[in-house]
Amino acid sequence: MAGKTVEFKLDLDIFMNSTYDFPYFQCNSLSDLFAPDITDARYAFILNYPATASWAAYPNRKKYFIQDGSSEATKTSFDKIGQKEPWKNLAVLGDAIPGIVINQPPNSLIDYWREHLGFSNSSMEMIDCSTYLDELSGSDRFDKLLTLFPFDNLKPEKHAVHPDIHYHLLSKTTLAELGVQCPKYQSYNLHEVNLESIQLPEQFPYLIKTSHGLSGEGTYIIKSASDLNYCLQEVRKYLDIKLLDTIIVSEFVKNQVQNYCVQFYVSKTGNIRLIGTTSQLVTPEGSYLGGLIHYRETDMSRFFEMIAAIGKYAHQQGYFGVIGFDVLEDSEGQLYAIDANFRVNGSTPLCLQRHTLLGLGKEVAQYSSNWRMDGTLESILVTLKPELDRKDLIILSALEKVKYGKIYTEIYGIVAGEDIKEMQHIKQNLHGKGLQQLG
Protein backbone atom coordinates (compact mmCIF):
# COMPACT_ATOMS: atom_id res chain seq x y z
CA MET A 1 0.00 0.00 0.00
CA ALA A 2 1.40 3.38 -0.93
CA GLY A 3 1.77 6.19 1.55
CA LYS A 4 -0.91 8.79 1.90
CA THR A 5 0.12 12.04 0.22
CA VAL A 6 -1.34 15.19 1.69
CA GLU A 7 -1.16 18.85 0.82
CA PHE A 8 -2.83 21.78 2.51
CA LYS A 9 -6.39 22.69 1.55
CA LEU A 10 -7.92 26.14 1.91
CA ASP A 11 -11.36 26.78 3.37
CA LEU A 12 -12.45 29.56 1.00
CA ASP A 13 -15.21 30.75 3.31
CA ILE A 14 -12.56 31.59 5.90
CA PHE A 15 -9.80 32.80 3.65
CA MET A 16 -11.95 35.08 1.54
CA ASN A 17 -12.73 37.03 4.68
CA SER A 18 -9.52 38.49 6.10
CA THR A 19 -11.19 40.69 8.70
CA TYR A 20 -10.96 39.22 12.18
CA ASP A 21 -11.17 40.81 15.57
CA PHE A 22 -9.75 38.26 17.97
CA PRO A 23 -9.32 39.73 21.47
CA TYR A 24 -6.33 39.11 23.71
CA PHE A 25 -6.95 37.24 26.94
CA GLN A 26 -7.35 39.59 29.91
CA CYS A 27 -6.02 37.24 32.58
CA ASN A 28 -2.85 35.61 33.83
CA SER A 29 -3.88 32.04 34.69
CA LEU A 30 -5.04 28.90 32.96
CA SER A 31 -8.09 28.86 35.24
CA ASP A 32 -9.20 32.22 33.87
CA LEU A 33 -8.91 30.92 30.31
CA PHE A 34 -10.95 27.78 31.00
CA ALA A 35 -13.43 29.36 33.46
CA PRO A 36 -16.38 29.90 31.04
CA ASP A 37 -16.16 26.29 29.83
CA ILE A 38 -16.03 24.42 33.14
CA THR A 39 -19.31 25.44 34.76
CA ASP A 40 -21.25 22.36 33.61
CA ALA A 41 -19.36 19.81 35.72
CA ARG A 42 -16.58 19.35 38.28
CA TYR A 43 -13.29 19.64 36.40
CA ALA A 44 -9.66 19.07 37.32
CA PHE A 45 -6.45 19.26 35.28
CA ILE A 46 -4.00 16.34 35.12
CA LEU A 47 -0.79 18.32 34.77
CA ASN A 48 1.57 15.49 33.75
CA TYR A 49 1.91 13.63 30.49
CA PRO A 50 1.49 9.87 30.31
CA ALA A 51 4.69 7.87 29.96
CA THR A 52 5.83 4.48 28.66
CA ALA A 53 8.91 3.99 30.85
CA SER A 54 9.29 1.16 33.36
CA TRP A 55 8.76 3.57 36.25
CA ALA A 56 5.26 4.46 35.00
CA ALA A 57 2.48 2.83 37.04
CA TYR A 58 0.08 3.50 34.15
CA PRO A 59 2.08 3.21 30.90
CA ASN A 60 0.38 4.30 27.65
CA ARG A 61 0.97 1.06 25.76
CA LYS A 62 -2.52 0.07 24.61
CA LYS A 63 -4.04 2.62 22.27
CA TYR A 64 -2.80 6.19 22.72
CA PHE A 65 0.88 5.66 21.91
CA ILE A 66 3.30 8.42 22.84
CA GLN A 67 6.88 8.37 21.57
CA ASP A 68 8.85 9.39 24.67
CA GLY A 69 12.03 7.42 23.95
CA SER A 70 12.82 4.33 21.90
CA SER A 71 14.59 2.47 24.73
CA GLU A 72 14.51 2.48 28.50
CA ALA A 73 17.78 4.42 28.58
CA THR A 74 16.38 7.25 26.44
CA LYS A 75 12.87 7.52 27.92
CA THR A 76 11.83 10.93 29.23
CA SER A 77 12.63 10.88 32.93
CA PHE A 78 10.20 11.00 35.84
CA ASP A 79 11.68 14.25 37.12
CA LYS A 80 10.61 15.95 33.88
CA ILE A 81 7.21 14.30 33.39
CA GLY A 82 6.22 14.01 37.05
CA GLN A 83 7.85 17.08 38.59
CA LYS A 84 9.34 19.94 36.56
CA GLU A 85 6.81 20.06 33.71
CA PRO A 86 3.60 19.77 35.77
CA TRP A 87 4.88 22.18 38.43
CA LYS A 88 5.52 24.80 35.72
CA ASN A 89 1.84 24.73 34.74
CA LEU A 90 0.69 24.50 38.35
CA ALA A 91 2.45 27.83 38.97
CA VAL A 92 0.05 29.58 36.56
CA LEU A 93 -3.01 27.40 37.03
CA GLY A 94 -5.00 29.78 39.23
CA ASP A 95 -7.80 28.79 41.57
CA ALA A 96 -10.80 27.78 39.43
CA ILE A 97 -9.40 24.38 38.38
CA PRO A 98 -7.84 21.87 40.80
CA GLY A 99 -4.49 20.69 39.45
CA ILE A 100 -3.63 17.01 39.85
CA VAL A 101 0.03 16.48 40.75
CA ILE A 102 1.65 13.09 41.37
CA ASN A 103 4.66 14.52 43.19
CA GLN A 104 4.39 17.49 45.51
CA PRO A 105 6.45 20.63 44.79
CA PRO A 106 8.86 21.85 47.51
CA ASN A 107 7.19 24.00 50.16
CA SER A 108 9.64 26.81 49.44
CA LEU A 109 8.52 26.82 45.78
CA ILE A 110 4.85 26.94 46.80
CA ASP A 111 5.59 29.82 49.18
CA TYR A 112 7.35 31.67 46.35
CA TRP A 113 4.40 31.12 44.00
CA ARG A 114 1.98 32.32 46.66
CA GLU A 115 3.93 35.55 47.17
CA HIS A 116 4.81 36.36 43.57
CA LEU A 117 2.23 34.63 41.35
CA GLY A 118 -0.93 34.68 43.47
CA PHE A 119 -0.84 30.90 43.81
CA SER A 120 -3.31 29.29 46.22
CA ASN A 121 -2.62 25.91 47.76
CA SER A 122 -6.30 25.07 47.28
CA SER A 123 -5.73 24.51 43.55
CA MET A 124 -3.37 21.57 44.11
CA GLU A 125 -4.62 18.00 44.45
CA MET A 126 -1.84 15.61 45.42
CA ILE A 127 -2.57 12.00 44.41
CA ASP A 128 0.06 9.25 44.65
CA CYS A 129 1.62 8.40 41.29
CA SER A 130 1.00 4.68 41.83
CA THR A 131 -2.77 5.04 42.18
CA TYR A 132 -3.86 8.35 40.66
CA LEU A 133 -5.55 7.17 37.46
CA ASP A 134 -7.53 4.45 39.26
CA GLU A 135 -8.62 6.98 41.87
CA LEU A 136 -9.64 9.53 39.23
CA SER A 137 -11.47 6.92 37.14
CA GLY A 138 -13.38 5.55 40.10
CA SER A 139 -14.06 8.72 42.07
CA ASP A 140 -17.12 10.94 41.68
CA ARG A 141 -15.22 13.92 43.06
CA PHE A 142 -14.28 15.05 39.54
CA ASP A 143 -16.52 14.52 36.53
CA LYS A 144 -14.09 15.62 33.82
CA LEU A 145 -10.30 15.75 33.58
CA LEU A 146 -8.44 18.17 31.34
CA THR A 147 -5.31 16.55 29.94
CA LEU A 148 -2.25 17.33 27.85
CA PHE A 149 -2.55 13.94 26.14
CA PRO A 150 -5.11 11.13 26.42
CA PHE A 151 -4.46 8.44 29.03
CA ASP A 152 -4.95 4.75 28.23
CA ASN A 153 -5.79 4.06 31.86
CA LEU A 154 -8.27 6.87 32.50
CA LYS A 155 -11.88 6.07 31.63
CA PRO A 156 -12.78 7.66 28.27
CA GLU A 157 -15.84 9.39 29.74
CA LYS A 158 -13.64 11.10 32.33
CA HIS A 159 -11.62 12.94 29.65
CA ALA A 160 -12.84 16.52 29.13
CA VAL A 161 -12.15 16.06 25.39
CA HIS A 162 -12.89 12.59 24.07
CA PRO A 163 -9.55 10.75 23.99
CA ASP A 164 -10.00 9.47 20.42
CA ILE A 165 -10.61 13.04 19.20
CA HIS A 166 -7.71 14.43 21.21
CA TYR A 167 -5.34 11.72 19.97
CA HIS A 168 -6.34 12.41 16.36
CA LEU A 169 -5.79 16.16 16.78
CA LEU A 170 -2.38 15.61 18.36
CA SER A 171 -1.21 13.40 15.49
CA LYS A 172 1.25 14.97 13.07
CA THR A 173 -0.72 13.32 10.26
CA THR A 174 -3.60 15.74 10.94
CA LEU A 175 -1.71 18.88 9.94
CA ALA A 176 -3.02 19.05 6.36
CA GLU A 177 -6.63 18.79 7.56
CA LEU A 178 -6.41 22.11 9.40
CA GLY A 179 -6.82 24.33 6.33
CA VAL A 180 -3.49 26.13 6.61
CA GLN A 181 -0.37 26.19 4.46
CA CYS A 182 2.06 23.47 5.51
CA PRO A 183 4.95 21.54 3.95
CA LYS A 184 3.98 18.67 1.67
CA TYR A 185 4.23 15.33 3.42
CA GLN A 186 3.34 11.66 3.16
CA SER A 187 2.11 9.51 6.01
CA TYR A 188 2.73 5.77 6.24
CA ASN A 189 0.97 3.22 8.42
CA LEU A 190 3.82 0.86 9.28
CA HIS A 191 1.41 -2.02 9.81
CA GLU A 192 0.36 -1.70 6.16
CA VAL A 193 3.61 -0.76 4.44
CA ASN A 194 7.09 -2.10 5.08
CA LEU A 195 9.59 0.48 6.33
CA GLU A 196 12.20 -0.64 3.79
CA SER A 197 9.80 -0.21 0.87
CA ILE A 198 9.05 3.47 1.53
CA GLN A 199 10.33 5.69 -1.27
CA LEU A 200 12.20 8.48 0.50
CA PRO A 201 13.16 11.79 -1.14
CA GLU A 202 16.26 11.56 -3.31
CA GLN A 203 17.74 14.79 -1.98
CA PHE A 204 18.52 15.98 1.52
CA PRO A 205 17.31 17.65 3.65
CA TYR A 206 13.88 16.35 4.62
CA LEU A 207 12.17 15.29 7.83
CA ILE A 208 10.88 12.02 9.21
CA LYS A 209 8.51 12.23 12.19
CA THR A 210 6.72 9.76 14.38
CA SER A 211 3.06 10.59 14.82
CA HIS A 212 3.03 11.48 18.55
CA GLY A 213 6.57 12.40 19.58
CA LEU A 214 6.97 14.11 22.96
CA SER A 215 8.95 17.38 23.23
CA GLY A 216 10.89 16.94 20.00
CA GLU A 217 11.39 13.21 20.44
CA GLY A 218 10.55 11.36 17.25
CA THR A 219 11.39 14.26 14.91
CA TYR A 220 14.45 13.59 12.74
CA ILE A 221 16.04 16.13 10.42
CA ILE A 222 17.60 14.08 7.62
CA LYS A 223 20.61 15.93 6.22
CA SER A 224 22.84 12.96 5.45
CA ALA A 225 22.92 9.18 5.07
CA SER A 226 24.08 8.83 8.67
CA ASP A 227 21.08 10.88 9.85
CA LEU A 228 18.81 8.55 7.90
CA ASN A 229 20.45 5.42 9.30
CA TYR A 230 20.04 6.70 12.85
CA CYS A 231 16.41 7.64 12.22
CA LEU A 232 15.53 4.24 10.76
CA GLN A 233 17.21 2.51 13.71
CA GLU A 234 15.07 4.55 16.10
CA VAL A 235 11.88 3.83 14.15
CA ARG A 236 12.65 0.09 14.20
CA LYS A 237 13.16 0.26 17.97
CA TYR A 238 9.74 1.88 18.36
CA LEU A 239 8.22 -0.86 16.18
CA ASP A 240 9.96 -3.56 18.22
CA ILE A 241 8.46 -2.24 21.47
CA LYS A 242 5.07 -1.76 19.76
CA LEU A 243 4.74 1.95 20.46
CA LEU A 244 4.40 3.27 16.91
CA ASP A 245 1.85 2.94 14.11
CA THR A 246 2.56 5.83 11.74
CA ILE A 247 5.43 7.96 10.46
CA ILE A 248 5.45 11.09 8.32
CA VAL A 249 7.98 12.02 5.65
CA SER A 250 7.91 15.78 5.15
CA GLU A 251 9.61 18.28 2.92
CA PHE A 252 12.04 20.66 4.63
CA VAL A 253 11.22 24.38 4.74
CA LYS A 254 14.29 26.06 3.29
CA ASN A 255 15.64 29.57 3.95
CA GLN A 256 13.96 29.72 7.34
CA VAL A 257 14.27 33.10 9.05
CA GLN A 258 11.93 32.67 12.03
CA ASN A 259 10.31 29.91 14.10
CA TYR A 260 7.09 30.92 15.90
CA CYS A 261 4.70 29.29 18.32
CA VAL A 262 1.28 30.93 17.96
CA GLN A 263 -1.09 30.30 20.86
CA PHE A 264 -4.78 30.88 21.39
CA TYR A 265 -7.76 29.49 23.27
CA VAL A 266 -10.88 28.11 21.58
CA SER A 267 -13.99 27.87 23.74
CA LYS A 268 -16.79 25.31 23.67
CA THR A 269 -18.81 27.81 21.63
CA GLY A 270 -15.99 28.30 19.11
CA ASN A 271 -14.91 31.74 20.32
CA ILE A 272 -11.21 32.55 20.10
CA ARG A 273 -9.00 34.49 22.50
CA LEU A 274 -5.36 35.24 21.74
CA ILE A 275 -2.73 34.07 24.22
CA GLY A 276 0.47 35.15 22.47
CA THR A 277 3.19 34.36 19.94
CA THR A 278 6.74 33.41 20.87
CA SER A 279 9.89 33.05 18.83
CA GLN A 280 11.03 29.53 19.57
CA LEU A 281 14.51 28.74 20.81
CA VAL A 282 15.72 25.35 19.60
CA THR A 283 19.00 23.48 19.30
CA PRO A 284 20.41 22.70 15.82
CA GLU A 285 18.96 19.19 16.33
CA GLY A 286 15.50 20.65 16.89
CA SER A 287 15.22 20.17 20.67
CA TYR A 288 13.09 22.80 22.39
CA LEU A 289 14.89 25.21 24.76
CA GLY A 290 12.26 27.91 25.34
CA GLY A 291 10.70 30.98 23.82
CA LEU A 292 11.21 34.73 23.41
CA ILE A 293 8.30 37.19 23.32
CA HIS A 294 7.80 40.89 22.58
CA TYR A 295 4.49 41.53 24.29
CA ARG A 296 3.76 44.91 22.71
CA GLU A 297 5.45 44.58 19.32
CA THR A 298 4.18 41.15 18.28
CA ASP A 299 1.63 41.50 15.49
CA MET A 300 -0.60 38.45 15.76
CA SER A 301 -2.86 39.67 12.95
CA ARG A 302 -0.53 38.10 10.39
CA PHE A 303 -1.56 34.73 11.83
CA PHE A 304 -5.30 35.46 12.06
CA GLU A 305 -6.29 33.43 9.01
CA MET A 306 -4.36 30.42 10.33
CA ILE A 307 -5.87 30.88 13.80
CA ALA A 308 -9.37 31.08 12.32
CA ALA A 309 -8.90 27.91 10.27
CA ILE A 310 -7.35 25.85 13.07
CA GLY A 311 -9.85 27.14 15.63
CA LYS A 312 -12.76 26.25 13.35
CA TYR A 313 -11.41 22.75 12.75
CA ALA A 314 -10.80 22.14 16.46
CA HIS A 315 -14.30 23.35 17.36
CA GLN A 316 -15.88 21.14 14.68
CA GLN A 317 -14.01 18.15 16.10
CA GLY A 318 -15.29 18.87 19.62
CA TYR A 319 -12.11 20.27 21.15
CA PHE A 320 -11.90 23.19 23.58
CA GLY A 321 -8.81 24.56 25.29
CA VAL A 322 -5.37 25.93 24.48
CA ILE A 323 -3.90 25.45 20.99
CA GLY A 324 -0.33 26.24 20.00
CA PHE A 325 0.85 25.79 16.44
CA ASP A 326 4.44 26.08 15.22
CA VAL A 327 5.04 28.26 12.16
CA LEU A 328 8.18 28.67 10.07
CA GLU A 329 8.71 31.85 8.09
CA ASP A 330 11.00 31.72 5.08
CA SER A 331 13.05 34.50 3.51
CA GLU A 332 10.17 35.39 1.17
CA GLY A 333 7.76 35.90 4.06
CA GLN A 334 5.82 32.69 3.44
CA LEU A 335 4.36 31.07 6.57
CA TYR A 336 4.25 27.28 6.95
CA ALA A 337 2.55 25.50 9.84
CA ILE A 338 4.78 22.58 10.78
CA ASP A 339 3.08 21.30 13.93
CA ALA A 340 -0.11 21.87 15.91
CA ASN A 341 -0.37 21.11 19.62
CA PHE A 342 -3.90 20.89 20.97
CA ARG A 343 -2.84 21.36 24.59
CA VAL A 344 -1.10 23.78 26.92
CA ASN A 345 2.30 24.45 25.32
CA GLY A 346 5.75 24.82 26.82
CA SER A 347 5.75 28.60 26.58
CA THR A 348 2.08 29.14 27.53
CA PRO A 349 3.07 30.36 31.04
CA LEU A 350 5.33 32.94 29.37
CA CYS A 351 2.42 34.26 27.30
CA LEU A 352 0.22 34.39 30.40
CA GLN A 353 2.59 36.92 32.00
CA ARG A 354 1.64 39.50 29.36
CA HIS A 355 -0.44 41.88 31.48
CA THR A 356 1.62 41.45 34.64
CA LEU A 357 4.92 42.27 32.94
CA LEU A 358 3.56 45.05 30.72
CA GLY A 359 2.19 46.63 33.89
CA LEU A 360 5.78 46.74 35.16
CA GLY A 361 7.07 48.23 31.90
CA LYS A 362 8.67 44.94 30.85
CA GLU A 363 7.95 44.37 27.16
CA VAL A 364 10.41 41.55 26.39
CA ALA A 365 10.65 38.20 28.16
CA GLN A 366 12.31 34.85 27.62
CA TYR A 367 11.23 31.48 28.97
CA SER A 368 13.85 28.78 29.34
CA SER A 369 13.72 25.27 30.77
CA ASN A 370 17.48 24.84 31.12
CA TRP A 371 18.52 27.12 34.01
CA ARG A 372 20.71 25.71 36.77
CA MET A 373 22.20 27.14 39.95
CA ASP A 374 24.31 25.65 42.72
CA GLY A 375 22.68 25.39 46.13
CA THR A 376 19.28 24.61 47.58
CA LEU A 377 16.15 26.32 46.34
CA GLU A 378 15.82 28.16 49.66
CA SER A 379 19.33 29.58 49.35
CA ILE A 380 18.67 30.59 45.74
CA LEU A 381 15.46 32.40 46.72
CA VAL A 382 17.51 34.44 49.19
CA THR A 383 20.38 35.13 46.78
CA LEU A 384 18.06 36.21 43.95
CA LYS A 385 15.47 38.01 46.10
CA PRO A 386 16.02 41.48 44.53
CA GLU A 387 15.58 40.08 41.01
CA LEU A 388 12.54 38.02 42.05
CA ASP A 389 10.91 41.00 43.75
CA ARG A 390 11.33 43.09 40.59
CA LYS A 391 10.17 40.17 38.41
CA ASP A 392 13.43 40.35 36.51
CA LEU A 393 13.21 36.60 37.06
CA ILE A 394 10.07 34.50 37.56
CA ILE A 395 10.58 30.92 38.74
CA LEU A 396 7.97 28.54 37.36
CA SER A 397 9.53 25.25 38.43
CA ALA A 398 12.54 24.21 40.47
CA LEU A 399 13.94 20.82 41.45
CA GLU A 400 16.87 20.19 43.76
CA LYS A 401 19.38 17.53 42.74
CA VAL A 402 22.64 16.15 44.12
CA LYS A 403 25.73 15.23 42.13
CA TYR A 404 28.99 14.11 43.71
CA GLY A 405 27.63 15.24 47.06
CA LYS A 406 26.93 18.76 45.80
CA ILE A 407 23.40 20.23 45.75
CA TYR A 408 22.19 22.20 42.75
CA THR A 409 18.76 23.27 41.51
CA GLU A 410 17.29 22.93 38.02
CA ILE A 411 14.97 25.82 37.17
CA TYR A 412 12.30 26.61 34.60
CA GLY A 413 12.02 30.38 34.54
CA ILE A 414 11.27 33.65 32.79
CA VAL A 415 13.67 36.59 32.50
CA ALA A 416 12.05 39.92 31.57
CA GLY A 417 13.16 43.48 30.78
CA GLU A 418 12.03 46.74 29.18
CA ASP A 419 13.71 45.73 25.92
CA ILE A 420 16.14 43.16 24.55
CA LYS A 421 19.17 45.11 25.73
CA GLU A 422 17.95 45.36 29.31
CA MET A 423 16.87 41.72 29.35
CA GLN A 424 20.33 40.64 28.22
CA HIS A 425 21.84 42.85 30.94
CA ILE A 426 19.60 41.17 33.53
CA LYS A 427 20.69 37.75 32.27
CA GLN A 428 24.33 38.77 32.68
CA ASN A 429 23.68 39.94 36.23
CA LEU A 430 21.91 36.69 37.06
CA HIS A 431 24.83 34.77 35.58
CA GLY A 432 27.13 36.77 37.81
CA LYS A 433 25.12 35.57 40.79
CA GLY A 434 25.49 31.96 39.69
CA LEU A 435 22.44 31.29 37.48
CA GLN A 436 23.67 29.36 34.46
CA GLN A 437 21.83 28.53 31.27
CA LEU A 438 22.76 25.16 29.84
CA GLY A 439 22.60 24.12 26.20
Side-chain angles (χ1 to χ4, degrees), residues 25-38 45 92-97 117-118 146 265 267 273 275 322 352 355-356:
F25 70 99
Q26 298 295 322
C27 56
N28 62 3
S29 75
L30 294 171
S31 284
D32 290 329
L33 278 172
F34 280 91
D37 292 322
I38 58 172
F45 201 144
V92 297
L93 183 61
D95 297 330
I97 311 173
L117 295 174
L146 301 162
Y265 182 93
S267 72
R273 281 186 288 168
I275 300 175
V322 177
L352 288 173
H355 299 295
T356 299

Side-chain angles (χ1 to χ4, degrees), residues 361-373:
K362 295 178 177 291
E363 298 190 10
V364 179
Q366 178 182 327
Y367 160 72
S368 295
S369 56
N370 58 341
W371 299 103
R372 175 173 164 172
M373 188 166 174

Side-chain angles (χ1 to χ4, degrees), residues 121-138:
N121 224 2
S122 63
S123 65
M124 183 174 70
E125 291 281 338
M126 173 66 197
I127 306 180
D128 189 271
C129 61
S130 64
T131 61
Y132 76 109
L133 290 183
D134 282 335
E135 290 189 35
L136 292 171
S137 289

Side-chain angles (χ1 to χ4, degrees), residues 215-284:
S215 298
E217 169 64 27
T219 294
Y220 309 96
I221 303 174
I222 311 301
K223 296 181 178 179
S224 65
S226 61
D227 288 340
L228 177 59
N229 289 336
Y230 173 76
C231 168
L232 295 178
Q233 288 174 7
E234 290 292 292
V235 170
R236 290 188 189 101
K237 288 179 184 178
Y238 274 118
L239 289 172
D240 288 344
I241 59 177
K242 296 179 171 58
L243 284 179
L244 179 64
D245 291 326
T246 305
I247 63 168
I248 295 92
V249 180
S250 171
E251 71 176 351
F252 186 85
V253 177
K254 298 178 180 177
N255 303 315
Q256 171 195 329
V257 296
Q258 198 49 272
N259 182 345
Y260 301 103
C261 180
V262 183
Q263 299 182 49
F264 64 98
Y265 182 93
V266 62
S267 72
K268 285 182 176 178
T269 58
N271 290 327
I272 287 171
R273 281 186 288 168
L274 306 178
I275 300 175
T277 295
T278 64
S279 296
Q280 301 213 91
L281 307 175
V282 296
T283 66

